Amino acid sequence: MDGIKTLADLKKKQEEVMSRMSLRDRAENPESLVQVKVAMATCGIASGAKEVMEYFIEELYKRKIDAVVTQTGCMGYCFAEPTVEISLPGREAIVFGYVDTRKADEIIERYIKEGELVDGIIPQNYNTI
Amino acid sequence: MSRYKIHLLVCGGTGCHSSESNLVYEMLRDELERKGLEKDVQVIRTGCFGFCEKGPILKILPDNTFYTQVKPSDAKEIIDEHIIKGRRVYRLLYTDPETEEHVPDSKQMDFYKKQLRIALRNCGTIDPENIDESIARDAYQALGKALTEYTPSETIDLIKRSGLRGRGGAGFPTGLKWEIAAKNNADRKYVVCNADEGDPGAFMDRSILEGDPHSVLEAMAICGYCIGATKGLIYIRAEYPLAIKRLKIAIAQAQEYGLLGEHILGADFSFDVTLRYGAGAFVCGEETALIHSMEGKRGEPSNKPPFPAQSGYLGKPTNVNNVETLANIPAIILKGAEWFSSIGTERSKGTKVFALAGKINNVGLIEVPMGITLREIIYEIGGGVKNGKKFKAVQTGGPSGGCLTEKHLDTPIDYESLTAAGSMMGSGGMIVLDEDDCMVSVAKFYLGFIVDESCGKCAPCRIGNKRLHETLGKITAGKGTQDDIEKLRNLGSVIKDASLCGLGQTSPNPVLSTLDNFMEEYLEHVHDKKCRSGRCRDLLYYVISKEDCIGCMACKRVCPTHAISGEKKEAHVINQDVCIKCGACMEKCQFDAISLMNDYPRVSATAAQTITES
Ligand SMILES: Cc1cc2nc3c(=O)[nH]c(=O)nc-3n(C[C@H](O)[C@H](O)[C@H](O)COP(=O)(O)O)c2cc1C
Ligand code: SF4
Ligand code: SF4
Ligand code: SF4
Ligand code: FES
């Protein structure tokens, strides 16, 4: 690159490189952010959890929602894989089952943005098949 | 664009480096490639996490998993289990010393909870060999702000108001130091960063340079702008190869971006930084000695005044600051003087980095607000004394600091309180001692270091410390007298008053503070010939256990000095006045009745007489 000749250049450069660091910044205080946990055990991956996770990461970024997307082990809801656990700041975590990218879109738009409950919630105490 | 979903931060600090973190890094990358995950998972090498003793450290983001003692052979399991299946590898998690439970993430570790990281803000979170990561974390923004929004004197004023004081030992107000250097007119001035770090066991400056070199370069440029200098020099010991390598990379990258060099950020200001290597003598950390060493002269201190700010490197005004002091500067400029001065105590603002070591569960590098108590550091961050032993003392301030005890545990720590307690802040070494440590031996250890490191220029330090060391040797060998204790005290205060430089002026501290706080141990050594901790080998005694001895007389027969007495089938006794501690009796005894003890059953003089006569 040409070099950083002014403070404005420096700020521009910072913008450019910021996104690769944002995950690290966000990890500093996950409690205050939306946390999305995608179950990525073998059963989850087989049922498309990887695409769902990618979708969440891309879309939350595009829609400018401060969120941390992590993967967890099998949550024990294999029948409903892929499952995704969402915790909004200050709220109990909720697990959604059979999440595909369409469902993910709905979760982002309605639950994460508006706090509305959407179909597909798995009751937390229900964990036998 | 595909974004990394997971970041693997492998510690690349010196501590973890020496325990093969590099291989861990390579293996993780190989494994990710094999699984086709290299686009999803980023692996970077960071600076020190402060947890070196349990290294190599691997931190996984965004879930903040903190793995310790990771071996290269663990890479596959970590990728298979954690990255692919999302299951933590439990055996690699940090174990809480108190609850003995695995702690899944660093947010829940007591070690980090009470810390406040300003100087270490980027250590362990960025790749120090990539300037872009530093820039993302605001590097050079403070320089830009100073150049465009503040005049030099406004910048100095801001530093003054922040209350920042030197972290290299003396605690001199940094803003004031800059102001003096700024006021001395000269055609050339220099900014020197003191990265000599000679205290045994100290590694805070090294960690900053290895983990976040740009913070120091930026601060030096800001200092140059403030005092009117265009050249910066970093005096770093040659034993810090990794820090040197990272600094070289950082300087080259900053130059390439134009953040060092001519007309920085479009301003009428030029600044560049070069490295100077020290050979690792403790005294070369003293600023006048350091300057002489850089000039190619002998690394000996000289009288002050003139201070370096008046006549320093090549006779020009020179501002010398410690690494940690400098690392605070950009944060202060960006966040404001008021923010900084709201942290800490009345006269000591901000934080201090300490190297926590000795008999403590969590050995490591910590940064805490001034005013925190030793108790919080030792019991909360440090996780308490190792193996459930009893706390005895904490040695602070490096080789010329002092020992603090139980009664100081609740004193808020700052420059003044540590000095008042007979120790000092120094560069921030903190060594915890437990009941197994002998305080006289501790004092002797530090004096030994001082004797080796004294440059010899002035007599009180050169000769006086040698005498102190000899006297301590005499006491630990059980040959000391009451006069020796008096001598330690008197000589100590003479050395303090009459030495030329800070090394000599503080060197008797370990002796004086242990005399103040642990006089009973000195008295025991001298009068009872006893070392309660059992550290002093000459004060251990061969003792026969009354219970275990069956009176076989085997020991009595081998004793070359006829020190053992006793009748057949009766418990034997060793006369300590005659015993030469050859150990022959213990070897001979087949009933494990003889052992080395730090004391022996004392008998009255007349009783002892009858035993020898019989
Ligand atoms: C014997 C001796 C050793 C010293 N070693 C160091 C050192 O290793 N690093 C350091 O920064 N300051 C050291 N100092 C303090 C320096 O002389 C000087 O005060 C300091 O670098 C100034 O920077 P500051 O104001 O930022 O602390 C030492 C002083 C003495 C007397
Ligand atoms: S006090 Fe010691 S180290 Fe300092 S100048 Fe004198 S002899 Fe040298
Ligand atoms: S240590 Fe040696 S001198 Fe002492 S009692 Fe035993 S045999 Fe005798
Ligand atoms: S050799 Fe052991 S058992 Fe025998 S008399 Fe000596 S101390 Fe007692
Ligand atoms: S060097 Fe790795 S934690 Fe310090």
Side-chain angles (χ1 to χ4, degrees):
Chain A
M1 74 161 262
D2 282 345
I4 296 171
K5 299 209 176 62
T6 62
L7 186 54
D9 287 354
L10 180 64
K11 296 226 151 107
K12 214 171 100 210
K13 180 83 199 169
Q14 188 180 26
E15 292 269 290
E16 255 174 64
V17 290
M18 202 70 146
S19 69
R20 62 199 265 181
M21 296 290 289
S22 62
L23 179 135
R24 273 177 245 170
D25 291 331
R26 288 202 304 263
E28 305 255 305
N29 45 358
E31 314 77 33
S32 63
L33 304 170
V34 178
Q35 294 181 63
V36 179
K37 289 187 185 150
V38 184
M40 287 276 268
T42 324
C43 44
I45 293 171
S47 53
K50 198 159 180 294
E51 292 82 81
V52 171
M53 180 162 176
E54 233 145 275
Y55 184 83
F56 269 111
I57 291 172
E58 280 302 312
E59 292 304 314
L60 288 167
Y61 176 77
K62 278 193 203 140
R63 300 179 201 184
K64 301 205 179 341
I65 295 169
D66 264 342
V68 190
V69 183
T70 54
Q71 49 187 332
T72 68
C74 176
M75 295 192 213
Y77 313 119
C78 311
F79 65 97
E81 292 291 357
T83 52
V84 175
E85 182 189 299
I86 313 261
S87 341
L88 301 184
R91 286 228 214 168
E92 289 274 313
I94 285 185
V95 179
F96 295 92
Y98 303 109
V99 181
D100 55 12
T101 50
R102 246 194 31 234
K103 189 84 202 164
D105 176 59
E106 193 186 345
I107 293 175
I108 295 175
E109 285 305 312
R110 294 186 44 206
Y111 183 64
I112 296 182
K113 280 195 179 168
E114 310 293 338
E116 283 171 41
L117 295 181
V118 292
D119 288 350
I121 295 173
I122 303 178
Q124 291 287 305
N125 52 1
Y126 178 86
N127 57 6
T128 47
I129 299 179
Chain B
M1 161 188 153
S2 129
R3 237 172 300 282
Y4 291 117
K5 296 173 194 66
I6 298 178
H7 293 199
L8 303 185
L9 310 185
V10 183
C11 179
T14 289
C16 292
H17 200 78
S18 59
S19 50
E20 300 196 309
S21 73
N22 249 12
L23 265 178
V24 173
Y25 172 83
E26 302 288 343
M27 296 290 279
L28 285 170
R29 291 186 66 124
D30 284 357
E31 198 56 35
L32 285 170
E33 218 163 293
R34 197 164 309 140
K35 301 269 156 56
L37 289 169
E38 70 272 18
K39 292 222 166 51
D40 296 316
V41 182
Q42 185 188 27
V43 192
I44 66 152
R45 257 179 299 218
T46 67
C48 175
F49 285 86
F51 221 65
C52 324
E53 204 212 19
K54 297 249 160 47
I57 302 296
L58 167 65
K59 187 168 172 179
I60 300 189
L61 296 182
D63 54 33
N64 284 313
T65 304
F66 197 84
Y67 288 134
T68 58
Q69 291 172 326
V70 179
K71 285 186 292 300
S73 56
D74 295 327
K76 188 168 180 309
E77 187 177 351
I78 292 170
I79 303 297
D80 284 348
E81 283 295 304
H82 191 132
I83 305 304
I84 297 181
K85 297 188 190 146
R87 288 197 290 244
R88 289 187 163 114
V89 181
Y90 279 90
R91 64 183 174 86
L92 295 174
L93 291 173
Y94 167 72
T95 315
D96 188 300
E98 222 164 281
T99 61
E100 295 187 357
E101 273 173 23
H102 291 309
V103 183
D105 71 64
S106 59
K107 293 266 153 207
Q108 293 167 33
M109 286 167 65
D110 288 334
F111 182 73
Y112 288 110
K113 274 189 203 158
K114 284 232 159 177
Q115 292 199 43
L116 176 62
R117 299 187 144 214
I118 299 174
L120 298 177
R121 60 193 177 279
N122 290 327
C123 287
T125 61
I126 60 163
D127 175 358
E129 296 185 14
N130 181 343
I131 190 173
D132 288 350
E133 297 214 341
S134 293
I135 288 177
R137 282 294 175 92
D138 295 331
Y140 299 100
Q141 298 281 344
L143 176 61
K145 189 167 177 185
L147 291 176
T148 53
E149 291 178 33
Y150 302 135
T151 63
S153 67
E154 282 167 354
T155 314
I156 291 175
D157 189 55
L158 192 151
I159 301 297
K160 274 170 82 176
R161 279 188 288 119
S162 76
L164 176 66
R165 295 169 64 176
R167 303 294 192 240
F172 192 82
T174 306
L176 188 60
K177 191 184 262 188
W178 289 17
E179 189 173 59
I180 298 168
K183 283 196 177 137
N184 288 316
N185 285 321
D187 55 340
R188 261 182 165 242
K189 295 183 189 179
Y190 294 95
V191 175
V192 172
C193 168
N194 186 345
D196 188 59
E197 196 163 55
D199 290 17
F203 57 105
M204 24 264 154
D205 294 347
R206 186 189 74 199
S207 296
I208 292 173
L209 293 171
E210 284 175 2
D212 188 14
H214 289 287
S215 68
V216 175
L217 298 179
E218 181 183 8
M220 290 177 75
I222 294 170
C223 177
Y225 172 67
C226 289
I227 70 167
T230 57
K231 265 205 88 47
L233 301 158
I234 301 179
Y235 186 83
I236 183 164
R237 48 177 51 218
E239 290 107 317
Y240 280 0
L242 194 61
I244 290 171
K245 176 181 155 215
R246 300 246 163 96
L247 271 173
K248 281 186 176 162
I249 293 172
I251 292 172
Q253 290 181 346
Q255 284 168 341
E256 193 191 316
Y257 274 13
L259 294 165
L260 286 176
E262 307 282 313
H263 298 291
I264 296 170
L265 296 174
D268 185 20
F269 170 65
S270 304
F271 192 79
D272 226 325
V273 176
T274 46
L275 301 184
R276 290 302 163 85
Y277 306 113
F282 179 56
V283 73
C284 284
E286 196 281 334
E287 51 191 9
T288 58
L290 181 151
I291 288 167
H292 294 146
S293 165
M294 289 201 307
E295 291 168 342
K297 300 183 189 144
R298 284 181 70 156
E300 285 178 354
S302 53
N303 267 318
K304 293 191 277 193
F307 289 95
Q310 302 162 307
S311 168
Y313 184 59
L314 305 177
K316 304 292 181 192
T318 303
N319 183 84
V320 184
N321 271 131
N322 165 260
V323 172
E324 188 188 331
T325 314
L326 290 169
N328 278 292
I329 299 280
I332 294 173
I333 291 181
L334 287 181
K335 295 196 168 197
E338 291 65 33
W339 163 77
F340 193 78
S341 65
S342 70
I343 304 162
T345 65
E346 184 64 33
R347 295 179 59 195
S348 304
K349 301 301 187 187
T351 57
K352 178 76 192 86
V353 181
F354 290 102
L356 206 53
K359 310 285 180 54
I360 187 149
N361 278 314
N362 298 334
V363 167
L365 201 66
I366 61 166
E367 181 170 356
V368 288
M370 298 272 190
I372 195 170
T373 63
L374 282 173
R375 189 183 299 282
E376 288 170 281
I377 292 183
I378 295 168
Y379 290 97
E380 295 181 33
I381 297 172
V385 180
K386 240 187 195 147
N387 301 326
K389 296 268 181 173
K390 198 170 160 339
F391 168 82
K392 187 185 258 185
V394 52
Q395 208 279 348
T396 71
S400 40
C403 289
L404 307 175
T405 64
E406 192 89 43
K407 67 174 191 273
H408 301 113
L409 278 179
D410 292 307
T411 313
I413 299 177
D414 64 12
Y415 290 98
E416 280 70 29
S417 69
L418 285 178
T419 309
S423 184
M424 59 183 208
M425 184 74 80
S427 60
M430 204 174 257
I431 298 166
V432 176
L433 307 170
D434 69 9
E435 54 192 316
D436 293 340
D437 289 300
C438 160
M439 299 313 288
V440 186
S441 304
V442 167
K444 181 171 154 245
F445 168 81
Y446 285 109
L447 258 292
F449 177 83
I450 294 291
V451 168
D452 286 345
E453 295 291 333
S454 163
C455 80
K457 186 169 174 174
C458 63
C461 168
R462 182 184 68 237
I463 304 171
N465 283 316
K466 188 124 184 83
R467 291 291 98 80
L468 283 184
H469 187 242
E470 283 167 6
T471 310
L472 290 166
K474 203 172 142 195
I475 294 175
T476 53
K479 303 204 171 79
T481 61
Q482 183 63 32
D483 282 353
D484 289 323
I485 296 182
E486 305 306 323
K487 187 164 126 196
L488 286 177
R489 204 186 276 288
N490 295 337
L491 188 55
S493 37
V494 172
I495 296 171
K496 253 180 121 118
D497 292 342
S499 289
L500 173 66
C501 85
L503 189 147
Q505 287 157 11
T506 53
S507 60
N509 279 349
V511 184
L512 297 175
S513 79
T514 47
L515 281 172
D516 284 344
N517 293 316
F518 297 96
M519 182 52 102
E520 69 283 2
E521 290 196 26
Y522 279 88
L523 293 175
E524 272 172 16
H525 278 76
V526 166
H527 297 292
D528 305 338
K529 307 296 174 206
K530 174 183 165 187
C531 170
R532 56 170 81 182
S533 67
R535 274 294 144 119
C536 296
R537 285 208 59 87
D538 292 334
L539 299 180
L540 289 178
Y541 302 95
Y542 287 90
V543 179
I544 298 176
S545 148
K546 264 202 190 108
E547 286 73 42
D548 298 336
C549 173
I550 61 148
C552 72
M553 303 183 81
C555 57
K556 192 171 169 180
R557 263 178 253 125
V558 296
C559 177
T561 59
H562 306 295
I564 304 180
S565 55
E567 297 303 319
K568 203 169 182 170
K569 294 195 177 160
E570 273 174 25
H572 284 44
V573 180
I574 296 175
N575 179 351
Q576 301 296 341
D577 296 334
V578 183
C579 170
I580 55 164
K581 299 182 185 172
C582 70
C585 54
M586 187 153 102
E587 223 167 274
K588 201 75 195 173
C589 178
Q590 301 193 346
F591 304 92
D592 287 336
I594 305 179
S595 48
L596 262 177
M597 313 265 273
N598 62 8
D599 205 0
Y600 56 93
R602 315 243 167 178
V603 269
S604 65
T606 46
Q609 195 100 39
T610 37
I611 289 172
T612 24
E613 276 165 5
S614 68

